[in-house]
Structure formats: structure tokens, C-alpha cells
Amino acid sequence: MRTVIVTDPPRAPIQKVDALAGFGVATVHEALGRTGLLGPELRPIQDGARVGGTAVTVLCWPGDNLMIHAAVEQCRPGDLLVVTTTSPCLDGLFGELFATALQFRGVRGLVTTTGVRDVADLRAMNFPVWSASVSAQGTVKATAGAVNVPIVVGGQLIRPGDAVLADDDGVMVVPRADLDRALDQSRARAEKEEATRKAFRDGELGLDRYGLRSKLTDLGVTYVPYQNG
């Protein structure tokens, strides 16, 4: 592993990231062919937060948050910090002091495969976090890692400057080069969902709207009257 801090990587245009975040993770994920999701292990510590940001990536050693300190200096307004470790670690690598420093720099939140602590403080200061655990276990600052290098989370490659979207449904990445395609397909998906929503409000059944009756027949499903006893 290269121990390096990459400075000033190109970032996705924040206006496009914001527009994409407005559709929500589930819609964008479906619109892109169910790609980019970072997995169900990353859960929000708060309810109702919906953010999008440009990734500042951090690779730490387990139980060591030295490179998060190094990453703070590289953050700009609109960024979202994404932290992982060289091997699995659920220790509390991040807490309220880090969030205070990041908020000053305009960072929109944290996504981490590790644990976090000071959860009540993080909620009170409205700093959104998605993490794999909550843990009071402390860390050291002893081993070099990397900042703003490609990392893998949940089987998905995240490059510095990519768009990262997060809400109550989870976290996903959209490559910087795919933003325009993602916006077009997400708009189309949202329009389709709105048409379906209206149809359901008017009483139409999913069986009919999606043409599922014939599928039930093809699968051998039959309707039989209820017989008492």
C-alpha cells in the first residue's frame, strides 16, 4: 500500500451532486441498473438526513485514525469523508471533535466502514454519519495510510471526487464521469414512479400495471375459493 496524501483531486460539480441527491439513494440506485450501493452494513446514526457530497477518501489501519487527521486538511466545502481500513475494524475511529473540525471546513458528513462514538453529540450538531457500528473503543495515531486514493467499500470502487449519496436507505457512489447519465436516468425513473404513484392512488393494482397476472399464470399460480372447514 502506498502511504500518500493526494492533494486537490478533481471533484464532481457540486450542483449536479446536489441535484442527484434530491432523488434519493433508492431511486438513483434503481435508475443506474442497481449499481453503486455500498451495502446494508452502513447505517445512519440519525433519521431523515439526505446528503450528497464529493468523496474525500481515507484508508486507515485498524484501530488507528492518524489518516483522518491528515484528511481534514484536504477537505473543502461540499465534500463527504469516506473512511475504510486495510482490514475489518469496528473501533470508534471518529467522534465529535473530528466532526467539529470538518463542519468548519464545510464537510457534509461521514461514511465509514468502522465505528463512531459521541453519537449524541453528532446528532445534536447535525453532522450526519453512516457507519458500520457505534463503539466507544478508542484508537491510536501511529500508522501511515493514504488520503484521496481509490478505495473499495461494499465491493464498490470509490475514487476521490466521485459523488457519494446517503440517506435513510443507505449509501451509494456515482462515478464522477457518470453524473450526467445518472441525472438523466434518475429523472426518468422519478417521472415513472410518480405516474405509478398516481395510478395506485386511483386504485390501480400492481398486478395490472406491471402485467403480473400472466406471470402468475405462467408460474402455475391458481385462484381457488375459500372453503370453510
Side-chain angles (χ1 to χ4, degrees), residues 11-89:
R11 289 164 163 85
I14 196 62
Q15 297 87 349
K16 293 183 179 180
V17 177
D18 288 341
L20 201 57
F23 292 109
V25 168
T27 294
V28 179
H29 174 60
E30 291 282 356
L32 291 178
R34 300 178 185 173
T35 62
L37 195 64
L38 304 189
E41 295 81 12
L42 301 180
R43 302 305 306 150
I45 66 165
Q46 65 286 308
D47 292 328
R50 176 179 287 189
V51 301
T54 45
V56 170
T57 60
V58 187
L59 183 61
C60 296
W61 282 80
D64 192 314
N65 67 3
L66 173 63
M67 299 314 293
I68 300 179
H69 285 279
V72 173
E73 184 181 24
Q74 303 306 315
C75 291
R76 298 179 185 174
D79 284 340
L80 199 153
L81 200 66
V82 184
V83 178
T84 192
T85 49
T86 56
S87 61
C89 171

Coordinates of all heavy atoms in Angstrom, one line a residue, residues 11-89:
R11 N -13.0 17.2 -8.6 CA -14.3 16.8 -7.9 C -15.5 17.0 -8.9 O -15.5 17.8 -9.8 CB -14.5 17.7 -6.7 CG -13.5 17.4 -5.5 CD -13.5 18.6 -4.6 NE -13.0 18.3 -3.3 CZ -11.7 18.3 -2.9 NH1 -10.8 18.6 -3.9 NH2 -11.3 18.1 -1.7
A12 N -16.5 16.1 -8.7 CA -17.7 16.2 -9.4 C -18.3 17.6 -9.1 O -18.2 18.1 -8.0 CB -18.7 15.1 -9.0
P13 N -19.0 18.2 -10.1 CA -19.6 19.5 -9.9 C -20.7 19.4 -8.8 O -21.6 18.6 -8.9 CB -20.3 19.8 -11.3 CG -19.5 19.0 -12.3 CD -19.1 17.8 -11.5
I14 N -20.6 20.3 -7.8 CA -21.4 20.1 -6.6 C -22.9 20.3 -6.9 O -23.8 19.7 -6.3 CB -20.9 21.0 -5.5 CG1 -21.5 20.5 -4.1 CG2 -21.2 22.4 -5.8 CD1 -21.2 19.1 -3.7
Q15 N -23.2 21.2 -7.9 CA -24.6 21.4 -8.3 C -25.2 20.2 -8.8 O -26.4 19.9 -8.5 CB -24.7 22.6 -9.3 CG -24.2 23.9 -8.8 CD -22.7 24.1 -9.1 OE1 -22.0 23.1 -9.4 NE2 -22.2 25.3 -8.9
K16 N -24.5 19.4 -9.6 CA -25.0 18.1 -10.1 C -25.1 17.1 -9.0 O -26.1 16.3 -9.0 CB -24.1 17.6 -11.3 CG -24.1 18.5 -12.5 CD -23.3 17.9 -13.6 CE -23.3 18.8 -14.9 NZ -22.5 18.3 -16.0
V17 N -24.2 17.1 -8.1 CA -24.3 16.2 -6.9 C -25.5 16.5 -6.1 O -26.3 15.6 -5.7 CB -23.0 16.3 -6.1 CG1 -23.2 15.4 -4.8 CG2 -21.8 15.9 -6.9
D18 N -25.8 17.7 -5.9 CA -27.0 18.1 -5.1 C -28.2 17.7 -5.8 O -29.2 17.2 -5.2 CB -27.0 19.7 -4.9 CG -25.9 20.1 -3.9 OD1 -25.5 19.3 -3.1 OD2 -25.6 21.3 -3.9
A19 N -28.3 17.9 -7.2 CA -29.5 17.5 -7.9 C -29.7 16.0 -7.8 O -30.8 15.6 -7.7 CB -29.3 18.0 -9.4
L20 N -28.6 15.3 -7.9 CA -28.8 13.8 -7.9 C -29.2 13.4 -6.5 O -30.1 12.5 -6.3 CB -27.4 13.2 -8.2 CG -27.4 11.7 -8.7 CD1 -28.3 11.6 -9.9 CD2 -26.0 11.3 -9.0
A21 N -28.7 14.0 -5.4 CA -29.0 13.6 -4.1 C -30.5 13.8 -3.8 O -31.1 13.1 -3.0 CB -28.2 14.4 -3.1
G22 N -31.1 14.8 -4.5 CA -32.5 15.1 -4.3 C -33.4 13.9 -4.7 O -34.6 13.8 -4.2
F23 N -33.0 13.1 -5.6 CA -33.8 11.9 -6.0 C -33.8 10.8 -4.9 O -34.7 10.0 -4.9 CB -33.3 11.3 -7.3 CG -33.5 12.2 -8.5 CD1 -32.4 12.9 -9.1 CD2 -34.8 12.5 -9.0 CE1 -32.6 13.7 -10.2 CE2 -35.0 13.3 -10.1 CZ -33.9 13.9 -10.7
G24 N -32.8 10.8 -4.1 CA -32.7 9.7 -3.1 C -31.9 8.5 -3.6 O -31.9 8.2 -4.8
V25 N -31.3 7.8 -2.6 CA -30.4 6.7 -2.9 C -31.2 5.6 -3.7 O -30.7 5.1 -4.7 CB -29.8 6.1 -1.7 CG1 -29.1 4.8 -1.9 CG2 -28.8 7.1 -1.1
A26 N -32.4 5.2 -3.2 CA -33.1 4.1 -3.8 C -33.4 4.4 -5.3 O -33.3 3.5 -6.1 CB -34.4 3.8 -3.0
T27 N -33.9 5.6 -5.6 CA -34.2 5.9 -7.0 C -33.0 5.9 -7.9 O -33.0 5.4 -9.0 CB -35.0 7.3 -7.0 OG1 -36.2 7.2 -6.3 CG2 -35.2 7.7 -8.4
V28 N -31.9 6.6 -7.4 CA -30.7 6.6 -8.2 C -30.1 5.2 -8.4 O -29.7 4.9 -9.5 CB -29.7 7.6 -7.6 CG1 -28.4 7.6 -8.4 CG2 -30.2 9.0 -7.4
H29 N -30.1 4.4 -7.4 CA -29.6 3.1 -7.5 C -30.4 2.3 -8.5 O -29.8 1.6 -9.4 CB -29.7 2.4 -6.1 CG -29.4 1.0 -6.0 ND1 -28.2 0.5 -6.4 CD2 -30.1 -0.1 -5.7 CE1 -28.1 -0.8 -6.3 NE2 -29.3 -1.2 -5.8
E30 N -31.7 2.4 -8.5 CA -32.5 1.6 -9.5 C -32.3 2.2 -10.9 O -32.2 1.5 -11.8 CB -34.0 1.8 -9.1 CG -34.4 1.0 -7.8 CD -34.6 -0.5 -8.1 OE1 -34.5 -0.9 -9.2 OE2 -34.8 -1.2 -7.1
A31 N -32.2 3.5 -11.0 CA -32.1 4.2 -12.3 C -30.8 3.7 -13.0 O -30.7 3.7 -14.2 CB -32.1 5.7 -12.1
L32 N -29.8 3.4 -12.2 CA -28.5 3.1 -12.7 C -28.3 1.5 -12.8 O -27.2 1.0 -12.9 CB -27.3 3.7 -11.9 CG -27.2 5.2 -11.9 CD1 -26.1 5.7 -11.0 CD2 -26.9 5.6 -13.4
G33 N -29.4 0.8 -12.9 CA -29.3 -0.6 -13.0 C -28.9 -1.3 -11.8 O -28.3 -2.4 -11.8
R34 N -29.3 -0.8 -10.6 CA -29.0 -1.4 -9.3 C -27.5 -1.5 -9.1 O -27.0 -2.6 -8.7 CB -29.7 -2.7 -9.1 CG -31.2 -2.6 -9.2 CD -31.9 -3.9 -9.1 NE -33.3 -3.8 -9.3 CZ -34.2 -4.8 -9.4 NH1 -33.7 -6.0 -9.3 NH2 -35.5 -4.6 -9.6
T35 N -26.7 -0.5 -9.4 CA -25.3 -0.4 -9.2 C -24.9 0.7 -8.2 O -25.7 1.6 -8.0 CB -24.6 -0.2 -10.5 OG1 -24.9 1.1 -11.0 CG2 -24.9 -1.3 -11.5
G36 N -23.8 0.5 -7.6 CA -23.2 1.6 -6.8 C -23.5 1.6 -5.3 O -22.9 2.3 -4.5
L37 N -24.4 0.7 -4.8 CA -24.7 0.6 -3.4 C -23.6 0.1 -2.6 O -23.0 -1.0 -3.0 CB -26.0 -0.2 -3.2 CG -26.7 -0.1 -1.9 CD1 -27.3 1.3 -1.7 CD2 -27.8 -1.1 -1.8
L38 N -23.3 0.7 -1.5 CA -22.2 0.3 -0.6 C -22.5 -0.8 0.4 O -21.7 -1.1 1.2 CB -21.6 1.5 0.1 CG -21.1 2.7 -0.8 CD1 -20.4 3.7 0.1 CD2 -20.3 2.2 -2.0
G39 N -23.7 -1.3 0.3 CA -24.1 -2.4 1.2 C -24.9 -2.0 2.4 O -24.9 -0.9 2.8
P40 N -25.6 -3.0 3.0 CA -26.6 -2.7 4.1 C -25.9 -2.6 5.4 O -26.5 -2.2 6.4 CB -27.4 -4.0 4.1 CG -26.6 -5.1 3.6 CD -25.7 -4.4 2.5
E41 N -24.6 -2.8 5.5 CA -23.9 -2.7 6.8 C -23.7 -1.2 7.2 O -23.6 -0.9 8.4 CB -22.5 -3.3 6.7 CG -22.5 -4.8 6.4 CD -22.7 -5.2 5.0 OE1 -22.6 -4.3 4.1 OE2 -23.0 -6.4 4.7
L42 N -23.7 -0.3 6.3 CA -23.6 1.1 6.6 C -24.9 1.7 6.9 O -25.8 1.8 6.1 CB -22.9 1.9 5.4 CG -21.6 1.4 5.0 CD1 -21.1 2.2 3.8 CD2 -20.6 1.4 6.1
R43 N -25.1 2.1 8.2 CA -26.4 2.5 8.7 C -26.3 4.0 9.3 O -25.3 4.3 9.9 CB -27.0 1.6 9.8 CG -27.2 0.2 9.3 CD -28.0 0.1 8.1 NE -29.3 0.8 8.2 CZ -30.0 1.3 7.2 NH1 -29.5 1.4 6.0 NH2 -31.1 1.9 7.5
P44 N -27.3 4.8 9.1 CA -27.3 6.1 9.6 C -27.4 6.1 11.1 O -28.2 5.3 11.7 CB -28.5 6.8 8.9 CG -29.4 5.7 8.6 CD -28.6 4.5 8.3
I45 N -26.7 7.1 11.8 CA -26.9 7.2 13.2 C -28.1 8.2 13.5 O -28.4 8.4 14.7 CB -25.6 7.7 13.9 CG1 -25.3 9.2 13.4 CG2 -24.5 6.8 13.6 CD1 -24.3 9.9 14.3
Q46 N -28.6 8.8 12.5 CA -29.7 9.8 12.7 C -30.9 9.4 11.7 O -30.7 8.5 10.8 CB -29.2 11.2 12.4 CG -28.8 11.4 10.9 CD -27.5 10.8 10.5 OE1 -26.5 11.0 11.2 NE2 -27.5 10.0 9.4
D47 N -32.0 10.0 11.9 CA -33.1 9.8 11.0 C -33.3 11.0 10.1 O -33.2 12.2 10.5 CB -34.4 9.6 11.8 CG -34.4 8.3 12.5 OD1 -33.8 7.3 12.0 OD2 -35.0 8.2 13.6
G48 N -33.6 10.8 8.8 CA -34.1 11.9 8.0 C -33.0 12.6 7.2 O -33.4 13.5 6.4
A49 N -31.8 12.3 7.4 CA -30.7 13.1 6.7 C -30.6 12.6 5.3 O -30.7 11.4 5.0 CB -29.4 12.9 7.4
R50 N -30.5 13.5 4.4 CA -30.2 13.2 3.0 C -29.1 14.1 2.4 O -29.3 15.3 2.4 CB -31.5 13.3 2.1 CG -31.3 13.1 0.6 CD -32.5 13.2 -0.2 NE -33.5 12.1 0.0 CZ -34.5 11.9 -0.7 NH1 -34.9 12.7 -1.7 NH2 -35.3 10.8 -0.5
V51 N -28.0 13.5 2.1 CA -26.9 14.4 1.7 C -26.2 13.8 0.4 O -26.3 12.6 0.1 CB -25.8 14.5 2.8 CG1 -26.4 15.1 4.1 CG2 -25.1 13.1 3.1
G52 N -25.6 14.7 -0.3 CA -24.7 14.3 -1.4 C -23.4 15.1 -1.2 O -23.5 16.2 -0.8
G53 N -22.3 14.5 -1.6 CA -21.1 15.2 -1.5 C -20.0 14.6 -2.4 O -20.2 13.5 -2.9
T54 N -18.9 15.3 -2.5 CA -17.8 14.8 -3.3 C -16.8 14.1 -2.3 O -16.4 14.6 -1.3 CB -17.1 15.9 -4.0 OG1 -16.9 17.0 -3.1 CG2 -17.9 16.4 -5.2
A55 N -16.4 12.9 -2.7 CA -15.7 12.0 -1.8 C -14.2 12.5 -1.6 O -13.5 12.7 -2.5 CB -15.6 10.6 -2.4
V56 N -13.9 12.6 -0.3 CA -12.5 12.6 0.1 C -12.3 11.2 0.8 O -12.9 10.9 1.8 CB -12.2 13.7 1.1 CG1 -10.8 13.5 1.7 CG2 -12.3 15.1 0.4
T57 N -11.5 10.4 0.2 CA -11.3 9.0 0.6 C -10.1 8.9 1.6 O -9.1 9.6 1.5 CB -11.1 8.1 -0.6 OG1 -9.9 8.5 -1.3 CG2 -12.2 8.1 -1.5
V58 N -10.3 8.0 2.6 CA -9.3 7.8 3.6 C -9.1 6.3 3.8 O -10.1 5.6 4.0 CB -9.7 8.5 5.0 CG1 -8.5 8.4 6.0 CG2 -10.1 9.9 4.8
L59 N -7.9 5.9 3.8 CA -7.5 4.5 4.1 C -6.7 4.4 5.4 O -5.5 5.0 5.4 CB -6.8 3.8 2.9 CG -6.4 2.3 3.1 CD1 -7.7 1.5 3.2 CD2 -5.6 1.9 1.9
C60 N -7.2 3.9 6.4 CA -6.5 3.8 7.7 C -6.2 2.3 8.1 O -6.7 1.4 7.5 CB -7.5 4.3 8.8 SG -7.9 6.0 8.7
W61 N -5.3 2.2 9.0 CA -5.0 0.9 9.6 C -6.1 0.7 10.7 O -6.6 1.6 11.3 CB -3.6 0.8 10.2 CG -2.6 0.6 9.1 CD1 -2.1 1.6 8.3 CD2 -2.0 -0.6 8.7 NE1 -1.2 1.0 7.4 CE2 -1.1 -0.3 7.6 CE3 -2.1 -1.9 9.2 CZ2 -0.4 -1.3 7.0 CZ3 -1.3 -2.9 8.5 CH2 -0.5 -2.6 7.5
P62 N -6.4 -0.6 11.0 CA -7.4 -0.9 12.0 C -6.9 -0.3 13.4 O -5.8 -0.3 13.7 CB -7.4 -2.4 12.1 CG -6.9 -2.9 10.8 CD -5.9 -1.8 10.3
G63 N -7.9 0.3 14.0 CA -7.6 0.9 15.4 C -6.8 2.1 15.3 O -6.3 2.5 16.4
D64 N -6.6 2.8 14.2 CA -5.7 3.9 14.0 C -6.4 5.0 13.2 O -6.8 4.7 12.0 CB -4.4 3.4 13.4 CG -3.3 4.4 13.4 OD1 -3.5 5.6 13.1 OD2 -2.1 4.0 13.7
N65 N -6.5 6.2 13.7 CA -7.2 7.2 13.0 C -6.3 8.4 12.5 O -6.7 9.5 12.2 CB -8.4 7.8 13.8 CG -8.0 8.6 15.0 OD1 -6.8 8.7 15.3 ND2 -8.9 9.0 15.8
L66 N -5.0 8.1 12.5 CA -4.0 9.1 12.0 C -4.4 9.8 10.7 O -4.3 11.0 10.6 CB -2.6 8.5 11.9 CG -1.5 9.4 11.4 CD1 -1.3 10.6 12.3 CD2 -0.2 8.6 11.2
M67 N -4.8 8.9 9.7 CA -5.0 9.5 8.4 C -6.3 10.3 8.3 O -6.5 11.1 7.4 CB -5.0 8.4 7.4 CG -3.7 7.6 7.3 SD -2.2 8.6 7.2 CE -2.4 9.4 5.6
I68 N -7.2 10.1 9.3 CA -8.4 11.0 9.3 C -7.9 12.4 9.6 O -8.4 13.4 9.1 CB -9.5 10.5 10.3 CG1 -9.9 9.1 9.9 CG2 -10.6 11.5 10.3 CD1 -11.0 8.5 10.8
H69 N -7.0 12.5 10.6 CA -6.4 13.8 10.9 C -5.8 14.4 9.7 O -6.0 15.6 9.4 CB -5.4 13.7 12.0 CG -6.0 13.5 13.4 ND1 -6.4 14.5 14.1 CD2 -6.2 12.4 14.1 CE1 -6.9 14.1 15.3 NE2 -6.7 12.7 15.3
A70 N -5.1 13.6 8.9 CA -4.4 14.2 7.7 C -5.5 14.5 6.7 O -5.3 15.5 5.9 CB -3.5 13.1 7.1
A71 N -6.6 13.8 6.6 CA -7.6 14.1 5.6 C -8.3 15.4 5.8 O -8.8 16.0 4.9 CB -8.6 12.9 5.6
V72 N -8.5 15.8 7.1 CA -9.2 17.0 7.4 C -8.7 18.2 6.6 O -9.4 19.0 6.0 CB -9.2 17.3 8.9 CG1 -9.8 18.7 9.2 CG2 -10.0 16.2 9.7
E73 N -7.4 18.3 6.5 CA -6.7 19.4 5.8 C -7.1 19.4 4.3 O -7.0 20.5 3.7 CB -5.2 19.3 6.0 CG -4.4 20.4 5.4 CD -2.9 20.3 5.5 OE1 -2.5 19.1 5.7 OE2 -2.2 21.3 5.5
Q74 N -7.4 18.2 3.8 CA -7.7 18.1 2.3 C -9.1 18.4 2.0 O -9.5 18.4 0.8 CB -7.3 16.7 1.8 CG -5.8 16.4 2.1 CD -4.9 17.4 1.5 OE1 -5.0 17.9 0.4 NE2 -3.9 17.8 2.3
C75 N -10.0 18.6 3.0 CA -11.4 18.8 2.7 C -11.8 20.2 2.3 O -11.2 21.2 2.8 CB -12.2 18.4 4.0 SG -12.1 16.6 4.3
R76 N -12.8 20.3 1.5 CA -13.4 21.5 1.0 C -14.9 21.5 1.3 O -15.5 20.5 1.5 CB -13.1 21.7 -0.5 CG -11.7 21.8 -0.9 CD -11.6 21.9 -2.4 NE -10.3 21.9 -3.0 CZ -10.1 21.9 -4.3 NH1 -11.1 21.9 -5.1 NH2 -8.8 21.9 -4.7
P77 N -15.5 22.7 1.2 CA -17.0 22.7 1.3 C -17.6 21.8 0.2 O -17.2 21.9 -1.0 CB -17.3 24.2 1.0 CG -16.1 24.9 1.5 CD -15.0 24.1 1.1
G78 N -18.6 21.0 0.6 CA -19.3 20.1 -0.3 C -18.7 18.7 -0.3 O -19.3 17.8 -0.9
D79 N -17.6 18.5 0.4 CA -17.1 17.2 0.5 C -17.8 16.3 1.4 O -18.5 16.8 2.3 CB -15.6 17.2 0.9 CG -14.7 17.7 -0.2 OD1 -15.1 17.6 -1.4 OD2 -13.5 18.1 0.1
L80 N -17.6 15.0 1.3 CA -18.1 14.0 2.2 C -17.0 13.0 2.4 O -16.4 12.5 1.5 CB -19.3 13.3 1.6 CG -20.3 12.5 2.6 CD1 -21.7 12.5 2.0 CD2 -19.8 11.1 2.9
L81 N -16.6 12.8 3.7 CA -15.5 12.0 4.1 C -15.9 10.5 4.0 O -16.9 10.1 4.6 CB -15.0 12.4 5.5 CG -13.5 11.9 5.8 CD1 -12.6 12.7 4.9 CD2 -13.3 12.2 7.3
V82 N -15.1 9.7 3.3 CA -15.4 8.3 3.2 C -14.1 7.5 3.8 O -13.0 7.6 3.2 CB -15.6 7.8 1.8 CG1 -16.0 6.4 1.7 CG2 -16.8 8.7 1.2
V83 N -14.3 6.8 4.8 CA -13.2 6.1 5.6 C -13.4 4.6 5.6 O -14.4 4.1 5.8 CB -13.2 6.6 7.0 CG1 -12.0 6.0 7.8 CG2 -13.0 8.2 7.1
T84 N -12.3 3.9 5.3 CA -12.2 2.5 5.4 C -10.9 2.1 6.0 O -10.0 3.0 6.1 CB -12.6 1.8 4.1 OG1 -12.8 0.4 4.4 CG2 -11.4 1.9 3.1
T85 N -10.7 0.8 6.3 CA -9.4 0.3 6.9 C -8.9 -0.8 6.0 O -9.6 -1.4 5.3 CB -9.7 -0.1 8.3 OG1 -10.8 -1.0 8.4 CG2 -9.9 1.1 9.2
T86 N -7.6 -1.1 6.2 CA -6.9 -2.1 5.5 C -7.4 -3.5 5.8 O -7.3 -4.4 5.0 CB -5.4 -2.1 5.7 OG1 -5.2 -2.2 7.1 CG2 -4.8 -0.7 5.2
S87 N -8.0 -3.7 7.0 CA -8.7 -4.9 7.3 C -9.9 -4.5 8.2 O -9.9 -3.4 8.8 CB -7.8 -5.9 8.0 OG -7.2 -5.4 9.1
P88 N -10.9 -5.4 8.4 CA -12.1 -5.0 9.2 C -11.8 -4.5 10.5 O -10.9 -5.0 11.3 CB -12.8 -6.3 9.3 CG -12.4 -7.1 8.1 CD -11.0 -6.8 7.9
C89 N -12.5 -3.4 10.9 CA -12.3 -2.7 12.2 C -13.6 -2.0 12.5 O -14.1 -1.2 11.7 CB -11.1 -1.7 12.1 SG -11.0 -0.6 13.5

